[in-house]
C-alpha cells in the first residue's frame, strides 16, 4: 500500500518539474548570579541562572532579591509557570539581559531517569519593543548548540535566528555567543525558545518566551496569566529516537513516545516498562505531583499552552471549567466561544485559553491531556498512556487519579483549533490573488537509492545543514540540499501565496521562521484513495479561501493528504527556514526555506553576514576559550 502510494507521489512530485553582530552589554562573567533586568526597569531584580549542578533541585535556581518572592512559593505549589504581566505592560521598553550556561544533567521528570538539558529553561517575559540579550555559554562536553526564538520576526536580525545551516554554526563546547535582537513594537503573544541544533529540543533544551502587549492608557486588568509547556516525552534520548526512525527497519513509522511532560513534570507507570527497554524508574505518586494551579481564582485566568513536543498533537480539557480560546501563536486574537476541550495543538503551535471555573458539582477538577494517536499506528508503545490526568487544583486527594483521563467527547463543546477564525479583519483587506505563488509538495519517502531509509522531502530536495551556513554564502554556492525559493521585492513588499501539499498519511506541522502568515485555506482528504492536492496552475482549490477573517500564525498543521494555502506579506528580508516541527521529519530532511530578498539581490550578496561564519571556524576545535 505504502509503496503504491510512493509511486503516485513521485508522479505528483515530478509532474511540473522544478521552476525553480551583536553588541555585548555588561560584562561576561558567567557563572555568577546577576541581575536579569538591566536598563530602565526600576523593579529589579529577579536573577535566573541555569545551574550546571547535577545534584541540585530545582532544575533552575531562582534567586530573588527584593520583590517577587511569590515566584518561588507559587512555583513550588503549582505546575503552571506564573507570569507577571503587571511588571511589563505599563513600563517603557527596555533591554533585558540573560546569562545562560547550558548543561546536561540526570533527571527523572516522569519518574524515569534520563540525561536532559536542564529544563525547562528559564522563561523570558518581556513587552513589545524590548531588546533581548542572551549570553549563551555552551557548558556541554561534546555538543554544539544554538537557540531559536520561535515565532519572533527578528526583523533586521536574521543572523540571530539560531537556525543551524541557515544562519549560524553551532556554538562550540566551551564557547559562547550573544543573541541580541529587538522585539517589534507590534509583536506580542505566546512564543518559546528552543535549540535548533540536531534534536536537542526533544531532550529538554527549550523554554517559554512571552511578550506582553503594552497597556493602552493607565488601567490594565490582567488577572492571572500562566504558561504551560506541554509535550510528548521519550525515555531514550532523541539521538537514539532519530536513529531508530532513520533506519529502514522503522518502515517510515514515526516513533511513539513513552509519556508526556508539562513544565518538566510527567506521570509514568513503572510497571509498564518493557524488558527490552529497561529503565531506572521511581514510581511517582499522584499525590506528590504538583497540581495545575495552586488556587481557584475569580479573576480572569489566562493559560498559554505551547506544544513543545516532538511528534504528537495534544488536546486539553479541565473538568470543572470551560476553556475559551482567545489567541493562537503570536497573539492572533480569535473569535470563539468557551468550550469543554481545545485541540489539536501540534508541535510548535500555541493557543491561549481563558479558564472559567464552573459553579457545578465537580469537587476535584482535573487537567486532562490527550495525545493524538494519528502517528501511533505503526509500532504501538504499550507503555504509553496517551490520555493522562492531573489534579487541576491544590489540595485534591482523589485517589482515582491513578486511572486514565475520562473519555474525550468531540461534540459541539469541542473547540477545534484548525477551525478558529480571527476576531478581526485584516487591514488593508486581503486581495483575492497574491502577486506571487510558491507551490510546495512535502513527503516522506523510502527510496531504494537511499537504502529504503525514510527521508523527508520538500519537492525534490531532502535537506542537510550546509557549513558554513547559507547566510555567509551567495546563492550560487548553496549545495543541492538547499531549497529556498526566492521572493524578491520592488518598492512594495510582495504578497505571496504559499501552497503546501502534504502527500503523507499523517499531518505535518509546518513552521516558518521570521514571518507570520494568514491561513486562507486548509483541506484534509479522508480515507486512503485520493489526494487532496492543490496545484493552482492546473486546478481550482478544493475548499474556499477565507479572505475575511483568517487566523494569522507562524506554525500550521498541514492535514494528511491535504494542503494549506498561506498568505504572506514578504516584508522581512532574510533566509527563513520553513520546516516540519516533528523532530524526526526535520531530522531526516523535511526542511526548506524562503529567501526573502531586497531588490536585485538574487545572488544574496548584500545580505551576507560574516558573523554567522565566524562561529564556523571553531567547529571541531575543542576549547578556544
Ligand atoms: C515544486 O514542485 C512542483 C511540482 O513539480 C512545481 O510545480 C513547483 O513549481 C515546485 N516549487 C518550486 C518553488 O519550485
Ligand atoms: C557551566 O557549567 C559547567 C557545569 O557545571 C561548569 O563546569 C562551567 O564552569 C560553567 N561555566 C560557566 C561559564 O559558568
Ligand atoms: C544518547 O544515548 C546513547 C545511549 O543510548 C548515548 O550513547 C549517546 O551518547 C546519547 N547521545 C546524546 C546526544 O545524549
Ligand atoms: C479529601 O477530599 C474530600 C473532598 O474534598 C474531603 O471531604 C476529605 O476530607 C479529604 N480527605 C483528606 C484526607 O484530606
Ligand atoms: C500501573 O499499572 C498496573 C497494571 O495496569 C496497575 O495495576 C497499577 O495500579 C498501576 N500503577 C499506578 C501507580 O498507576
Ligand atoms: C484515549 O482517549 C481517546 C479519546 O477519548 C480515545 O479514543 C482512546 O481510545 C483513548 N486511548 C486509550 C489507550 O485509552
Ligand atoms: C471544522 O469545520 C469544518 C467545516 O466547517 C467541519 O466540517 C468540521 O467538522 C469542523 N471540525 C470540528 C472538529 O468541528
Ligand atoms: C559566489 O560565490 C562563488 C564561490 O565562492 C564565487 O565564485 C562567485 O563569484 C560568487 N558570486 C558573487 C556574485 O559574488
Ligand atoms: Cu512532519
Amino acid at each position: 500500500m505504502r509503496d503504491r502510494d510512493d509511486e503516485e507521489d513521485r508522479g505528483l512530485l515530478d509532474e511540473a518539474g522544478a521552476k525553480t553582530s551583536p553588541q555585548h552589554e555588561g560584562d561576561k562573567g558567567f557563572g555568577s548570579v546577576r541581575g536579569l533586568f538591566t536598563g530602565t526597569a526600576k523593579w529589579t531584580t529577579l536573577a535566573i541562572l541555569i545551574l550546571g549542578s547535577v545534584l541540585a533541585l530545582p532544575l533552575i535556581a531562582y534567586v530573588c532579591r527584593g520583590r517577587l518572592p511569590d515566584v518561588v512559593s507559587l512555583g513550588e505549589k503549582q505546575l503552571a509557570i506564573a507570569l507577571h504581566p503587571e511588571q511589563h505592560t505599563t513600563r517603557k521598553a527596555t533591554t533585558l539581559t540573560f546569562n545562560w550556561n547550558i548543561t546536561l544533567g540526570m533527571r527523572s521528570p516522569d519518574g524515569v531517569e534520563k540525561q536532559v538539558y536542564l529544563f525547562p529553561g528559564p522563561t523570558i517575559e518581556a513587552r513589545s519593543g524590548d531588546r533581548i540579550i542572551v549570553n549563551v555559554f555552551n557548558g556541554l562536553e561534546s555538543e554544539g548548540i544554538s537557540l531559536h526564538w520561535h515565532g519572533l520576526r527578528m526583523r533586521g536580525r536574521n543572523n540571530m535566528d539560531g537556525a543551524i545551516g541557515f544562519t549560524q554554526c553551532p556554538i562550540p563546547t566551551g564557547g559562547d555567543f550573544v543573541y541580541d535582537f529587538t522585539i517589534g513594537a507590534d509583536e506580542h503573544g505566546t512564543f518559546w525558545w528552543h535549540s535548533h541544533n540536531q534534536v536537542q529540543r526533544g531532550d529538554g533544551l527549550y523554554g517559554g518566551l512571552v511578550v506582553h502587549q503594552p497597556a493602552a492608557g493607565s488601567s490594565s486588568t490582567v488577572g492571572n496569566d500562566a504558561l504551560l509547556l506541554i509535550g510528548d516525552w521519550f525515555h531514550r534520548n532523541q539521538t537514539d529516537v532519530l536513529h531508530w526512525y532513520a533506519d529502514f527497519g522503522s518502515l517510515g513509522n514515526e516513533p511513539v513516545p513513552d509519556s508526556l511532560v508539562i513544565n518538566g513534570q510527567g506521570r509514568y507507570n513503572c510497571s509498564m516498562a518493557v524488558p527490552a527497554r529497561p529503565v531506572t524508574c521511581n514510581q511517582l505518586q499522584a499525590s506528590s505531583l504538583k497540581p495545575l494551579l495552586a488556587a481557584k481564582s475569580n479573576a480572569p485566568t489566562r493559560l498559554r499552552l505551547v506544544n513543545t513536543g516532538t511528534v504528537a498533537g495534544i488536546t486539553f480539557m479541565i473538568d470543572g471549567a470551560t476553556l475559551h480560546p482567545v489567541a493562537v501563536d503570536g497573539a492572533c486574537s480569535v473569535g470563539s466561544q468557551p468550550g469543554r476541550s481545545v485541540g489539536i495543538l501540534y508541535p510548535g503551535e500555541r493557543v491561549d485559553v481563558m479558564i472559567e471555573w464552573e459553579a457545578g458539582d465537580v469537587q476535584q477538577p482535573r487537567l486532562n491531556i490527550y495525545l493524538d494517536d494519528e502517528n501511533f499506528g505503526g509500532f504501538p508503545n504499550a507503555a504509553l498512556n496517551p490520555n493522562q490526568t492531573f489534579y487541576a487544583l491544590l489540595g485534591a486527594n482523589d485517589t482515582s487519579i491513578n486511572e486514565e483521563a475520562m473519555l474525550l467527547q468531540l461534540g459541539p463543546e469541542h473547540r477545534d483549533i484548525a477551525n478558529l477564525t480571527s476576531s478581526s479583519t485584516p487591514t488593508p483587506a486581503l486581495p483575492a490573488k497574491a502577486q506571487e505563488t510558491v507551490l510546495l509538495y512535502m513527503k516522506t519517502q523510502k527510496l531504494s537509492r537511499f537504502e529504503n531509509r525514510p527521508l523527508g522531502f520538500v519537492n525534490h530536495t531532502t535537506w542537510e545543514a550546509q557549513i558554513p551556513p547559507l547566510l555567509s554564502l551567495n546563492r550560487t554556492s548553496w549545495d543541492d540540499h538547499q531549497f529556498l525559493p526566492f521572493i524578491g521585492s520592488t518598492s512594495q513588499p510582495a504578497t505571496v501565496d504559499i501552497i503546501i501539499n502534504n502527500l503523507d498519511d499523517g499531518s505535518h506541522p509546518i513552521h516558518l521562521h521570521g514571518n507570520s502568515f494568514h491561513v486562507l485555506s486548509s483541506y484534509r482528504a479522508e480515507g486512503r484513495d485520493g489526494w487532496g492536492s492543490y496545484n493552482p496552475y492546473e486546478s481550482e482549490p478544493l475548499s474556499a479561501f477565507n479572505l475575511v477573517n483568517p487566523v494569522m500564525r507562524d506554525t500550521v498543521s498541514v492535514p494528511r493528504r491535504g494542503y494549506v494555502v498561506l498568505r504572506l506579506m514578504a516584508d522581512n528580508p532574510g533566509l527563513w527556514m520553513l520546516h516540519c516541527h516533528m523532530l524526526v521529519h526535520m531530522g531526516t530532511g523535511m526542511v526548506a526555506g524562503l529567501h526573502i530578498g531586497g531588490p536585485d539581490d538574487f545572488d544574496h550578496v548584500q545580505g551576507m553576514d560574516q558573523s554567522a561564519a565566524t562561529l564556523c571556524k571553531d567547529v571541531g576545535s575543542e576549547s578556544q576559550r
Side-chain angles (χ1 to χ4, degrees):
M1 207 53 169
R2 277 178 173 268
D3 289 341
R4 189 181 60 79
D5 292 348
D6 282 352
E7 289 303 324
E8 281 178 44
D9 305 337
R10 273 197 289 277
L12 271 169
L13 282 167
D14 288 334
E15 68 184 2
K19 295 176 198 168
T20 61
S21 148
Q23 195 181 324
H24 290 238
E25 284 213 346
D27 65 292
K28 291 184 52 184
F30 295 92
S32 61
V33 175
R34 300 225 322 255
L36 167 60
F37 302 104
T38 61
T40 58
K42 287 208 175 63
W43 37 265
T44 53
T45 315
L46 165 64
I48 297 177
L49 172 77
I50 300 188
L51 287 184
S53 167
V54 293
L55 303 170
L57 281 169
L59 305 186
I60 288 149
Y62 293 84
V63 183
C64 293
R65 292 206 309 268
R67 309 261 299 269
L68 317 181
D70 57 312
V71 173
V72 170
S73 51
L74 209 52
E76 282 166 0
K77 280 194 239 154
Q78 71 173 35
L79 196 50
I81 298 168
L83 299 170
H84 300 89
E86 72 283 359
Q87 295 173 355
H88 299 273
T89 54
T90 56
R91 65 169 171 82
K92 290 201 162 64
T94 186
T95 299
L96 306 179
T97 303
F98 302 80
N99 299 297
W100 295 351
N101 181 2
I102 310 288
T103 62
L104 272 168
M106 199 61 90
R107 293 288 182 267
S108 308
D110 62 351
V112 175
E113 269 191 13
K114 176 177 175 179
Q115 197 165 51
V116 301
Y117 305 97
L118 299 180
F119 88 108
T123 303
I124 295 182
E125 243 185 301
R127 56 150 274 173
S128 310
D130 278 348
R131 177 176 174 192
I132 306 291
I133 297 177
V134 186
N135 300 302
V136 179
F137 176 78
N138 182 350
L140 302 172
E141 271 169 28
S142 58
E143 297 164 62
I145 48 178
S146 79
L147 299 183
H148 168 63
W149 319 96
H150 187 120
L152 291 182
R153 282 205 293 276
M154 312 299 291
R155 191 179 292 279
R157 278 285 195 254
N158 190 202
N159 58 348
M160 294 286 135
D161 195 42
I164 298 296
F166 273 47
T167 64
Q168 71 166 91
C169 277
I171 306 164
T173 294
D176 60 68
F177 188 77
V178 182
Y179 289 98
D180 180 347
F181 53 89
T182 299
I183 299 165
D186 58 342
E187 279 182 273
H188 56 92
T190 305
F191 305 91
W192 59 306
W193 59 266
H194 59 77
S195 166
H196 223 290
N197 185 37
Q198 313 284 347
V199 288
Q200 291 165 334
R201 165 167 74 79
D203 293 328
L205 192 40
Y206 61 78
L209 201 177
V210 173
V211 181
H212 297 287
Q213 181 174 26
S218 52
S219 71
S220 70
T221 48
V222 278
N224 301 312
D225 198 343
L227 179 66
L228 288 186
L229 307 170
I230 310 188
D232 51 40
W233 187 248
F234 286 82
H235 294 150
R236 295 166 285 162
N237 66 35
Q238 284 295 323
T239 309
D240 285 358
V241 171
L242 179 61
H243 281 156
W244 177 87
Y245 173 75
D247 186 82
F248 76 95
S250 77
L251 306 175
N253 292 295
E254 285 74 23
V256 179
D258 300 301
S259 66
L260 61 87
V261 287
I262 308 173
N263 292 345
Q265 171 184 288
R267 297 186 61 183
Y268 182 73
N269 186 335
C270 294
S271 71
M272 301 303 283
V274 293
R277 260 190 229 140
V279 290
T280 306
C281 192
N282 169 30
Q283 186 61 55
L284 300 176
Q285 297 308 315
S287 52
S288 65
L289 298 176
K290 289 186 219 168
L292 172 65
L293 293 168
K296 212 176 214 176
S297 167
N298 290 327
T301 299
R302 176 188 292 252
L303 267 190
R304 299 165 185 266
L305 311 172
V306 184
N307 185 335
T308 53
T310 62
V311 286
I314 291 173
T315 298
F316 308 85
M317 83 165 272
I318 298 177
D319 66 333
T322 58
L323 301 178
H324 183 183
V326 290
V328 289
D329 289 2
C332 171
S333 295
V334 297
S336 180
Q337 294 299 311
R340 299 222 58 89
S341 54
V342 175
I344 296 172
L345 188 73
Y346 288 95
E349 294 185 328
R350 290 90 68 205
V351 63
D352 293 7
V353 298
M354 301 303 296
I355 309 177
E356 284 152 45
W357 297 102
E358 287 172 344
D361 53 4
V362 178
Q363 294 297 318
Q364 305 197 11
R366 305 273 195 85
L367 164 69
N368 296 326
I369 310 280
Y370 305 84
L371 292 184
D372 179 45
D373 62 3
E374 184 177 63
N375 291 311
F376 293 175
F379 295 102
N381 180 352
L384 171 69
N385 173 5
N387 302 331
Q388 299 209 7
T389 184
F390 300 83
Y391 292 130
L393 292 170
L394 196 63
N397 61 10
D398 171 6
T399 51
S400 68
I401 191 137
N402 281 331
E403 300 159 10
E404 64 177 51
M406 66 170 73
L407 277 185
L408 180 65
Q409 309 288 334
L410 289 180
E413 294 293 280
H414 176 68
R415 295 292 163 260
D416 185 345
I417 291 175
N419 280 16
L420 294 175
T421 51
S422 171
S423 60
S424 62
T425 298
T427 45
L430 295 178
K433 287 220 177 321
Q435 290 159 299
E436 296 185 31
T437 299
V438 173
L439 171 62
L440 303 174
Y441 291 85
M442 298 210 175
K443 170 74 184 145
T444 53
Q445 297 196 89
K446 303 176 293 295
L447 303 176
S448 54
R449 70 189 142 101
F450 298 116
E451 298 90 37
N452 293 317
R453 289 178 287 123
L455 288 176
F457 285 86
V458 182
N459 277 25
H460 291 286
T461 305
T462 182
W463 178 75
E464 287 174 16
Q466 186 168 347
I467 295 177
L470 308 187
L471 194 56
S472 64
L473 301 169
N474 66 43
R475 254 187 101 94
T476 51
S477 318
W478 297 355
D479 69 27
D480 289 349
H481 294 290
Q482 315 307 320
F483 182 57
L484 291 83
F486 178 79
I487 298 163
S489 59
T490 55
S491 56
Q492 292 289 316
T495 54
V496 186
D497 276 353
I498 303 163
I499 296 153
I500 306 176
N501 288 289
N502 174 358
L503 301 177
D504 282 315
D505 279 326
S507 56
H508 292 294
I510 302 296
H511 172 48
L512 174 61
H513 290 205
N515 296 269
S516 294
F517 42 74
H518 284 110
V519 183
L520 300 188
S521 179
S522 172
Y523 182 84
R524 172 191 169 104
E526 303 296 339
R528 288 198 60 90
D529 19 79
W531 299 98
S533 294
Y534 170 44
N535 180 335
Y537 307 117
E538 293 181 350
S539 58
E540 292 299 310
L542 294 158
S543 64
F545 289 2
N546 177 1
L547 297 165
V548 178
N549 58 359
V551 287
M552 188 138 203
R553 314 202 61 148
D554 53 65
T555 310
V556 64
S557 173
V558 187
R560 69 185 294 278
R561 296 184 174 226
Y563 67 86
V564 291
V565 179
L566 313 176
R567 174 68 57 85
L568 178 76
M569 176 68 77
D571 61 358
N572 191 15
L575 306 177
W576 303 111
M577 220 181 235
L578 175 74
H579 66 90
C580 182
H581 226 269
M582 286 172 64
L583 213 40
V584 292
H585 292 168
M586 170 159 185
T588 49
M590 193 171 280
V591 178
L594 292 181
H595 176 184
I596 300 179
D600 313 318
D601 191 21
F602 194 80
D603 283 332
H604 182 57
V605 177
Q606 293 157 17
M608 283 200 331
D609 186 305
Q610 295 302 334
S611 75
T614 55
L615 270 175
C616 302
K617 68 176 164 36
D618 297 330
V619 170
S621 79
E622 266 311 296
S623 63
Q624 86 290 355
R625 226 169 168 265

